[in-house]
Amino acid sequence: MVVAAAASASSAPAAAATTIARSPPPKTEAAALAAFEASGGKSQERCLAVMREAARTRATPPEQVEGAISLLERLSASASASAAASASSSSPPDERAVLPATWWLVFSTASSLRAFQYIPVRELFRVGNDRVALDSRVGPIRFVISGPTTAASPSSSSSSSSSSSSSSSPYDPSTGALSFSFTQVAAYLSPFSGDAEIPATQAPFWSTQIKAPKAKSYTFFFAEGEQSGGVAAARSSGGGLALLVRV
């Protein structure tokens, strides 16, 4: 099941990173990045053009999409370092660009199988200040993995961050990391289409608690803003890259 795969893919404990710089990418990611750059992909504009096309058509070759997201992460890391040097807070994204929001998960490298990197079902990542939920529809059934957010532990460099961030926020604006854990899996009968949340009054026909839930994070290194349709890019604590679209 796609939901289960997504949950296990991001099961590594969240790191208390102070920048969005990452360890060397896996070979497949490095190859995708090299191929993208060889094809002329050098700028943020080119990365975003490929990501938007992928979100619109779901037909862009997965290797190109992975290469574009990987390069965007590298460019964002460079911008973040420059911003820190100039006492700017323009990178990573501002908290309001990330939450509260509902994100459509379009593409993920959590799977190394290219055929499954475009997520084959409608999968939404709902992010609030207190809880997150991964909501996937398979026919008339919706599977929801949910759990609480975790208050971020901002680095000292974030002490002057914008007033939109509070000490209890799960989002660390100095790193772009959103911290949370999944504690419950539930299945609902939902024959109606659409992206609305399942009403709190509707009981699942099956649910279970996750034993020993693990800390997770999504580190956003790009988000277009607060408008519906904007794209974002993030890396999960499990190592995969993701392309998201704001619903």
Side-chain angles (χ1 to χ4, degrees), residues 40-124:
K42 302 288 185 180
S43 67
Q44 183 185 79
E45 290 73 20
R46 175 58 180 160
C47 294
L48 293 176
V50 170
M51 290 164 58
R52 291 176 183 132
E53 177 189 74
R56 185 179 68 255
T57 67
R58 295 173 55 87
T60 307
E63 186 179 52
Q64 286 189 30
V65 183
E66 181 175 18
I69 301 173
S70 182
L71 177 59
L72 183 61
E73 181 182 38
R74 190 174 72 184
L75 294 174
S76 298
S78 298
S80 181
S82 299
S86 62
S88 169
S89 60
S90 60
S91 181
D94 184 79
E95 179 178 324
R96 291 170 297 182
V98 174
L99 77 145
T102 296
W103 296 97
W104 170 33
L105 283 162
V106 178
F107 179 94
S108 171
T109 63
S111 170
S112 61
L113 299 175
R114 293 293 187 196
F116 293 100
Q117 289 183 335
Y118 280 105
I119 298 175
V121 299
R122 182 75 168 179
E123 189 159 89
L124 302 177

Side-chain angles (χ1 to χ4, degrees), residues 129-193:
N129 286 305
D130 301 319
R131 292 188 68 79
V132 298
L134 195 62
D135 183 342
S136 301
R137 177 182 294 278
V138 181
I141 307 298
R142 284 169 68 171
F143 295 90
V144 180
I145 302 179
S146 61
T149 56
T150 306
S153 300
S155 64
S156 58
S157 64
S158 67
S159 58
S160 60
S161 62
S162 67
S163 60
S164 64
S165 299
S166 67
S167 59
S168 61
S169 173
Y171 183 75
D172 183 350
S174 69
T175 65
L178 173 72
S179 303
F180 59 94
S181 60
F182 288 131
T183 58
Q184 183 183 51
V185 185
Y188 299 82
L189 182 62
S190 180
F192 303 104
S193 60

